[in-house]
Amino acid sequence: MTAFDFADVEAFLDSHPDLFEEYLVRRAKCDQVSRWLKEHQSSKVSTSEERRAAAKEPLWPSSAEGLRRRSSHMELRRNFARSKATTAHRTYDEHVSLSEHESQSSMRRRALLRKASSLPPTTAHILSALLESRVNVPQYASSAIDYKYRLKETNEREFFLELVKDISNELDLTNLSYKILINVCILVDADRCSLFLVEGPAHKKTLVSKFFDVHSGTTVRPSSSTLNSNEVQVPWGKGIIGYVAEHGETVNISNAYEDHRFSDEIDKLTGYKTQTILCMAICNSDGEVIGVVQAINKNPMGTPFTEDDEKVLQMYLPFCGISIFNAKLFSESRKEYERSRALLEVVNDLFEEQTDLEKIVRKIMQRALTLLQCERCSVLLLEDIDSPVVKFSKTFELMSPLCNMDRDISMEKLSCSDWLINNSIAELVASTGLPVNISDVCQDPRFDAEADQASGFHIRSVLCVPIWNRTHQIIGVAQILNRLDRKTFDDADQRLFEAFVIFCGLGINNTMMYNQVKKTWAKQSVALDMLSYHATCSKVEVDRLKAAKIPLSSELGIDEFHFNDFSLDNDAMITASLRMFLELGVVQKFKIDYEVLCRWLLTVRKNYRTVAYHNWRHAFNVSQCMFVMITTATFQDVLSDAEILALMVGCLCHDLDHRGTNNAFQAKTGSALALLYGTSATLEHHHFNHAVMILQSEGHNIFANLSSKEYSNMMQLLKQAILSTDLTLHFERRTKFFEHVLSGEFSWAAEEHREVLRSMLMTACDLGAVTRPWEVAELVTSEFFEQGDRERSELKLTPAAIFDRNRKDELPALQLEWIDGICKPLYQALLKLNRKLQPMVDGIDGNRVKWQGLCMSYQQTRRASESSQSTDLGRNTDSSEDTETFELPKKAEKTSQVKNAEFGSKSDCREVLRFRANKEACNDKAASDDSKTSSGKK
């Protein structure tokens, strides 16, 4: 035998690469290829070659002539060699030593730690690295199709074992399905093959195929991006596929078009003609149908499938059933791992952010959209968790970025959604505490189809579950809509969502508790501030007042509409207040202890700050105005005793602890009051709470002898009276009041009408200074000027005209707008209701004439100053004249302007703004804009 030198053999193989490659394919072993890859590190090259091969040979046909036929032998061998090289290093090798395996694990852990340390040092990044799965799915490359065909021809036993081994260790359902189809095509010589798997619950099964009409010569598995787009669904029991799945029988058809169960729609779409069909069920170990395989057109074309084909397929499909069951089981375990990981990340998110409710709800919705792959998520929080009436106070919504919408809708956080639809389902869940899972909303009577159409967002399925706090109380509901894959929410989704919402409920509850702590801190801060400033009256003061002689109303002059409060000092105003209570008879009717009443009045006076206007004198003026309207105007005949007492107490307490600044200033500065009560009627809520605090102090409860029901009703009336002094509420109610009065529909018997009337009476008394003699009505707005000075110095803002002392010469024009737009319409409406209020309207008219005169004088002076601006001397003279013309009395500088100098309450007080818009725009647009937001009563 001739001896060959190794160099000669190597040179021969180098010159015949095709021969060497074919030999390598037939003889090489996996461990040999694995060692070669480790030495040459060719995995990157192999991967790039595989990608190029995938790009060159697509799975789906590009024309109607059908898919590409069997590839050449050389191409198949090369594909096989490349697949071996690509997957060999990922295959578990039993010969690898345990120490080597441990070293690889430690290397992986070090890589994860390096990954975590390279990111910002946040708990989210560390948690993500630690939770990364350590499980690798074993991947085994299939033998070349040409090799399988050769085995089939030479050794049927080895061929069958090769097909079984090909699918036995495959745990990826996509790869497994692809391998089954290729093997079935080879097994029965079919031109094409399809695999349908059973999905859905037992009562609504569906057959789904992600690989439809796969050709036997296909060598490249489709990418994951094409799987969902090419998914085919067949209803249970419909067509040949559905019949086989339902009955578990084998169907062998020699002419498909002669069978009534066959549908030619696919043939029309693809241009491919189906002739023969072999369809058979795939069962699991329990005999339950889990899939259906369909072989089409046995080769050569036109040949029917034989009984031998049926037998060999019956032998092979049980192995397919076992592999499919294992792959599904592995897939479910991976899903459970991912869901558990997502829940841990949710917990991390919730504990990272517990200070802002909006932020934490936004995180919850983002996690829900990602976790459950749905189009839209809503979170609705209850207003009162203890109330039997379901009412949502806050609503948050978020749309998935993967959801295709015909219109551009920004779904950032909406505190009160304008297009939240079908609240009935959310209310049902909040009231019953039971989850609702609707797979088809069109078939559910609880769903509002009209609201669905009006919203422009089509709902297919709904999953809504309650949100519980740590004491197992429902605090809201979470709702998700429409899975992105257009399937319905199944039991696994519901269980996951309920588990997810448990953590969300804890996070929301903690955040709400944090906000309560913040409010408690703010309340404490306000209380300490009040206690440091206020104190109750002394016993000496109480005894002196109790022993004092109380003059009659006529002696004090408090029974007149044109009462001038400058005739009384602080002590006289206390005795006058006592006289009003005695005159109205409420002391006897409600059994008010006289000493308690004296102590309460003195403490109320002491709890008014020494600000320029909103002080004790203003509170007394308002109560005197209410007294004269009740007595002289005979409202006493229509109001109940409880209403009269509540109105009088409300007048005396309506500005308790006023700081000399309005609501807008509290909001701008972010004061403790704004944090405690919010930005709506901030000071009014504070005045009421302060009044309650005085009543609850020892020896100050003038309502002590009322029954529990009477006391509750009295406190409700008192709260309504004090809060109605907010002009925002006045503008909301006055239109309806005017309509009722002018139309003659006002009814004293209707509680709603009486409540509105009480609010109008409180506002009329609060603004009553505009009806008083000119000596009171012309007072300067020194308190407002002080606020304007603070806005300019502390907030660096330009104050509105009513608060700007540099523009006080505009006061007459502002007063005319205030009288015509706010005050006079109110008093005219009350006059129509009660003709005895005519003196108040007359007082307004008299004051308006004087303000009109001042305004005309201002205009004349302004025209004169403009004409004299040609010279420097004239300009200086003009400045001097301006100052002298509108210098108001010193008496006015020492006191304050009454409510007739105020106008507006919020930016939405359109009635006021309509009168001011033109003039403010001409004078100073910036000042006008600020006036719209910051001017007002409070």
Side-chain angles (χ1 to χ4, degrees):
M1 186 174 180
T2 306
F4 291 96
D5 186 20
F6 179 75
D8 297 334
V9 176
E10 187 176 9
F12 173 79
L13 293 176
D14 290 339
S15 59
H16 298 83
D18 293 340
L19 179 62
F20 171 73
E21 185 176 357
E22 186 175 359
Y23 180 81
L24 181 65
V25 168
R26 288 189 292 107
R27 296 291 187 178
K29 297 181 180 179
C30 290
D31 55 345
Q32 295 173 339
V33 177
S34 179
R35 287 197 298 270
W36 185 89
L37 288 173
K38 289 179 181 178
E39 294 178 2
H40 293 79
Q41 299 180 357
S42 60
S43 60
K44 296 182 180 180
V45 179
S46 304
T47 305
S48 62
E49 288 179 357
E50 185 181 19
R51 291 174 181 170
R52 287 196 296 270
K56 291 179 181 179
E57 187 173 355
L59 173 63
W60 309 112
S62 58
S63 65
E65 295 179 2
L67 292 168
R68 188 183 309 175
R69 297 307 187 212
R70 187 174 305 171
S71 304
S72 64
H73 295 292
M74 183 62 67
E75 184 178 1
L76 292 175
R77 285 196 297 272
R78 288 176 179 172
N79 288 337
F80 173 70
R82 278 193 289 268
S83 66
K84 284 288 187 182
T86 304
T87 59
H89 68 286
R90 289 199 297 262
T91 303
Y92 176 74
D93 191 353
E94 296 179 354
H95 300 287
V96 178
S97 64
L98 183 61
S99 60
E100 183 179 356
H101 179 71
E102 290 176 351
S103 63
Q104 290 178 355
S105 300
S106 61
M107 290 174 61
R108 181 173 179 80
R109 285 195 295 270
R110 286 196 297 270
L112 287 173
L113 292 176
R114 284 196 301 270
K115 177 181 177 182
S117 61
S118 63
L119 295 171
T122 64
T123 56
H125 293 139
I126 298 174
L127 182 65
S128 177
L130 293 176
L131 292 179
E132 188 169 334
S133 176
R134 308 306 199 266
V135 179
N136 288 328
V137 181
Q139 298 182 4
Y140 298 87
S142 298
S143 302
I145 297 177
D146 188 64
Y147 173 69
K148 293 178 181 178
Y149 272 106
R150 288 206 307 271
L151 276 180
K152 181 181 179 182
E153 295 172 0
T154 59
N155 193 332
E156 291 185 358
R157 182 175 178 275
E158 288 291 330
F159 164 70
F160 191 85
L161 290 176
E162 178 66 24
L163 297 188
V164 172
K165 287 194 299 181
D166 195 23
I167 64 172
S168 60
N169 293 319
E170 184 60 66
L171 294 177
D172 184 85
L173 191 58
T174 302
N175 292 338
L176 177 62
S177 301
Y178 174 74
K179 289 182 178 181
I180 290 175
L181 289 178
I182 297 300
N183 292 342
V184 169
C185 283
I186 298 173
L187 196 63
V188 296
D189 282 327
D191 185 62
R192 297 189 181 187
C193 219
S194 299
L195 176 63
F196 291 83
L197 299 179
V198 179
E199 292 185 2
H203 65 279
K204 195 175 182 181
K205 292 182 179 180
T206 307
L207 295 163
V208 179
S209 173
K210 296 183 179 180
F211 294 98
F212 188 77
D213 275 9
V214 174
H215 183 252
S216 61
T218 303
T219 59
V220 180
R221 181 174 62 83
S223 63
S224 59
S225 61
T226 63
L227 296 182
N228 293 331
S229 60
N230 292 278
E231 183 175 283
V232 177
Q233 294 188 9
V234 175
W236 188 262
K238 300 295 183 181
I240 298 175
I241 303 294
Y243 176 85
V244 172
E246 184 177 23
H247 297 88
E249 300 176 2
T250 300
V251 173
N252 190 346
I253 304 173
S254 58
N255 191 339
Y257 284 81
E258 292 179 359
D259 195 293
H260 69 279
R261 296 167 296 185
F262 176 75
S263 175
D264 61 347
E265 293 180 2
I266 302 298
D267 286 4
K268 290 179 180 179
L269 290 174
T270 61
Y272 181 85
K273 185 176 181 180
T274 302
Q275 297 178 1
T276 58
I277 296 177
L278 177 58
C279 194
M280 192 173 293
I282 303 176
C283 300
N284 58 14
S285 58
D286 297 329
E288 181 183 0
V289 177
I290 61 174
V292 174
V293 66
Q294 178 180 258
I296 299 175
N297 292 352
K298 182 176 177 63
N299 291 317
M301 192 67 66
T303 305
F305 292 97
T306 64
E307 291 183 2
D308 291 336
D309 293 330
E310 294 181 23
K311 291 179 181 179
V312 74
L313 201 56
Q314 286 176 351
M315 294 173 60
Y316 183 66
L317 291 184
F319 295 98
C320 297
I322 295 173
S323 297
I324 291 174
F325 179 81
N326 291 337
K328 283 187 172 181
L329 192 62
F330 181 78
S331 177
E332 290 299 322
S333 66
R334 290 298 297 268
K335 286 182 180 179
E336 291 299 327
Y337 166 78
E338 293 297 334
R339 291 174 175 180
S340 300
R341 172 176 177 169
L343 290 177
L344 288 175
E345 291 175 344
V346 168
V347 174
N348 178 74
D349 289 344
L350 298 181
F351 282 98
E352 260 192 344
E353 178 58 64
Q354 292 191 348
T355 59
D356 191 308
L357 181 62
E358 296 176 359
K359 289 182 180 179
I360 196 169
V361 172
R362 180 176 178 81
K363 283 189 175 184
I364 289 171
M365 294 189 295
Q366 289 173 339
R367 287 290 183 186
L369 292 176
T370 304
L371 185 61
L372 292 157
Q373 291 295 295
C374 54
E375 294 182 0
R376 183 171 150 196
C377 180
S378 307
V379 174
L380 301 89
L381 300 181
L382 289 173
E383 184 178 45
D384 184 6
I385 62 176
D386 297 320
S387 174
V389 180
V390 175
K391 185 177 180 182
F392 298 113
S393 61
K394 291 185 178 180
T395 300
F396 304 86
E397 301 220 17
L398 196 67
M399 179 74 70
S400 171
L402 302 177
C403 178
N404 295 323
M405 293 291 293
D406 296 332
R407 54 196 179 119
D408 184 18
I409 300 177
S410 177
M411 286 306 298
E412 296 294 327
K413 187 276 305 173
L414 299 178
S415 60
C416 186
S417 175
D418 293 328
W419 63 289
L420 178 68
I421 53 181
N422 289 292
N423 254 354
S424 57
I425 297 176
E427 291 172 356
L428 175 65
V429 173
S431 59
T432 62
L434 300 175
V436 171
N437 189 352
I438 304 176
S439 58
D440 188 359
V441 294
C442 297
Q443 305 298 326
D444 197 288
R446 296 167 293 186
F447 182 76
D448 188 358
E450 294 182 358
D452 184 36
Q453 295 176 357
S455 69
F457 180 87
H458 177 61
I459 298 180
R460 300 185 302 273
S461 56
V462 177
L463 177 56
C464 188
V465 298
I467 302 176
W468 306 85
N469 63 7
R470 60 191 180 98
T471 58
H472 206 65
Q473 289 179 300
I474 298 177
I475 60 175
V477 296
Q479 180 175 269
I480 53 176
L481 307 175
N482 298 355
R483 276 179 51 164
L484 290 173
D485 57 4
R486 306 189 69 84
K487 297 180 182 178
T488 59
F489 296 107
D490 53 22
D491 293 338
D493 293 329
Q494 181 172 331
R495 291 194 302 270
L496 175 62
F497 195 41
E498 289 185 66
F500 171 81
V501 167
I502 289 175
F503 295 106
C504 298
L506 295 176
I508 293 175
N509 182 71
N510 291 343
T511 305
M512 296 173 72
M513 289 180 61
Y514 177 81
N515 291 334
Q516 290 177 359
V517 171
K518 286 180 63 178
K519 284 190 175 182
T520 303
W521 173 86
K523 189 174 182 179
Q524 181 184 12
S525 176
V526 174
L528 291 174
D529 185 28
M530 291 188 301
L531 291 174
S532 65
Y533 185 87
H534 303 297
T536 58
C537 60
S538 63
K539 187 177 185 302
V540 175
E541 292 178 302
V542 176
D543 294 339
R544 185 169 57 246
L545 178 60
K546 184 179 177 181
K549 181 181 179 181
I550 309 301
L552 298 176
S553 300
S554 57
E555 297 175 2
L556 295 169
I558 57 177
D559 56 350
E560 298 291 337
F561 281 106
H562 298 292
F563 170 75
N564 188 336
D565 66 282
F566 289 113
S567 61
L568 303 177
D569 57 14
N570 282 339
D571 292 336
M573 284 188 286
I574 287 289
T575 57
S577 299
L578 269 175
R579 170 52 60 189
M580 288 188 288
F581 277 86
L582 295 172
E583 194 85 12
L584 292 171
V586 294
V587 177
Q588 297 80 11
K589 292 174 184 176
F590 293 98
K591 301 178 181 179
I592 301 175
D593 185 271
Y594 190 72
E595 182 177 345
V596 172
L597 179 61
C598 293
R599 185 180 294 107
W600 178 80
L601 282 171
L602 290 169
T603 301
V604 166
R605 182 184 68 176
K606 198 171 186 63
N607 277 263
Y608 273 93
R609 300 196 180 199
T610 55
V611 295
Y613 175 66
H614 292 95
N615 48 35
W616 162 246
R617 181 171 294 276
H618 165 67
F620 172 76
N621 273 316
V622 174
S623 62
Q624 186 275 331
C625 187
M626 179 64 72
F627 172 75
V628 75
M629 291 178 73
I630 291 175
T631 55
T632 307
T634 66
F635 274 106
Q636 193 171 14
D637 298 337
V638 293
L639 294 174
S640 67
D641 294 333
E643 289 175 320
I644 292 174
L645 179 58
L647 290 173
M648 289 299 299
V649 173
C651 288
L652 287 173
C653 299
H654 83 283
D655 273 332
L656 276 171
D657 193 48
H658 199 288
R659 312 301 177 84
T661 54
N662 60 7
N663 286 333
F665 186 84
Q666 303 297 327
K668 290 177 183 178
T669 56
S671 65
L673 288 177
L675 183 61
L676 179 60
Y677 300 109
T679 56
S680 177
T682 303
L683 290 172
E684 286 73 22
H685 281 96
H686 176 58
H687 302 326
F688 170 72
N689 286 346
H690 200 84
V692 173
M693 184 189 71
I694 295 175
L695 287 170
Q696 291 177 347
S697 301
E698 184 178 359
H700 291 78
N701 190 2
I702 58 176
F703 304 144
N705 293 322
L706 299 181
S707 65
S708 177
K709 184 176 180 180
E710 290 174 338
Y711 184 85
S712 177
N713 181 55
M714 183 65 68
M715 297 306 295
Q716 187 66 27
L717 292 173
L718 179 60
K719 183 176 183 179
Q720 291 175 359
I722 294 178
L723 294 185
S724 63
T725 58
D726 178 22
L727 282 186
T728 302
L729 181 62
H730 170 71
F731 284 119
E732 293 175 358
R733 292 184 172 183
R734 79 171 198 166
T735 303
K736 186 179 294 185
F737 176 71
F738 290 169
E739 291 175 355
H740 290 162
V741 172
L742 296 178
S743 63
E745 298 177 354
F746 184 85
S747 173
W748 294 102
E751 177 56 32
E752 181 182 358
H753 291 193
R754 295 176 70 89
E755 181 181 346
V756 174
L757 173 65
R758 293 195 299 267
S759 298
M760 295 300 112
L761 291 177
M762 285 296 300
T763 304
C765 294
D766 200 14
L767 310 180
V770 75
T771 68
R772 299 302 172 91
W774 176 249
E775 290 77 10
V776 177
E778 64 175 353
L779 298 180
V780 178
T781 57
S782 58
E783 183 177 290
F784 301 118
F785 290 161
E786 291 176 5
Q787 176 178 323
D789 296 341
R790 292 185 61 184
E791 289 183 3
R792 184 179 284 107
S793 61
E794 297 177 14
L795 304 179
K796 309 302 179 184
L797 297 176
T798 301
I802 193 67
F803 300 103
D804 194 348
R805 65 175 68 252
N806 299 328
R807 300 171 62 184
K808 63 183 178 180
D809 50 2
E810 300 179 26
L811 178 62
L814 296 178
Q815 283 299 119
L816 292 176
E817 295 173 1
W818 167 255
I819 292 174
D820 295 337
I822 307 299
C823 303
K824 196 168 184 179
L826 172 61
Y827 291 106
Q828 286 177 338
L830 290 173
L831 178 64
K832 187 173 179 60
L833 198 64
N834 189 334
R835 304 304 302 179
K836 294 184 178 181
L837 298 178
Q838 183 64 46
M840 302 185 77
V841 178
D842 295 340
I844 292 179
D845 294 337
N847 289 329
R848 191 189 185 287
V849 171
K850 296 188 177 183
W851 283 117
Q852 181 68 37
L854 280 178
C855 184
M856 294 178 62
S857 176
Y858 162 72
Q859 293 175 354
Q860 293 174 359
T861 305
R862 186 174 184 178
R863 284 194 295 268
S865 63
E866 291 175 352
S867 63
S868 62
Q869 286 181 355
S870 57
T871 62
D872 294 338
L873 179 61
R875 189 177 298 109
N876 295 333
T877 303
D878 169 68
S879 176
S880 175
E881 290 175 354
D882 257 357
T883 304
E884 293 175 359
T885 302
F886 295 99
E887 186 71 30
L888 295 176
K890 293 182 179 179
K891 179 180 180 180
E893 293 289 350
K894 295 179 181 179
T895 56
S896 64
Q897 185 188 13
V898 293
K899 291 291 183 180
N900 58 318
E902 305 174 52
F903 66 97
S905 175
K906 297 285 182 180
S907 61
D908 56 354
C909 300
R910 299 182 180 88
E911 290 86 347
V912 186
L913 300 180
R914 184 172 61 250
F915 289 95
R916 297 198 53 194
N918 295 334
K919 177 174 174 53
E920 292 295 326
C922 296
N923 292 337
D924 190 345
K925 185 177 184 302
S928 174
D929 292 340
D930 187 69
S931 173
K932 293 179 183 179
T933 57
S934 62
S935 64
K937 175 182 177 298
K938 304 279 182 172

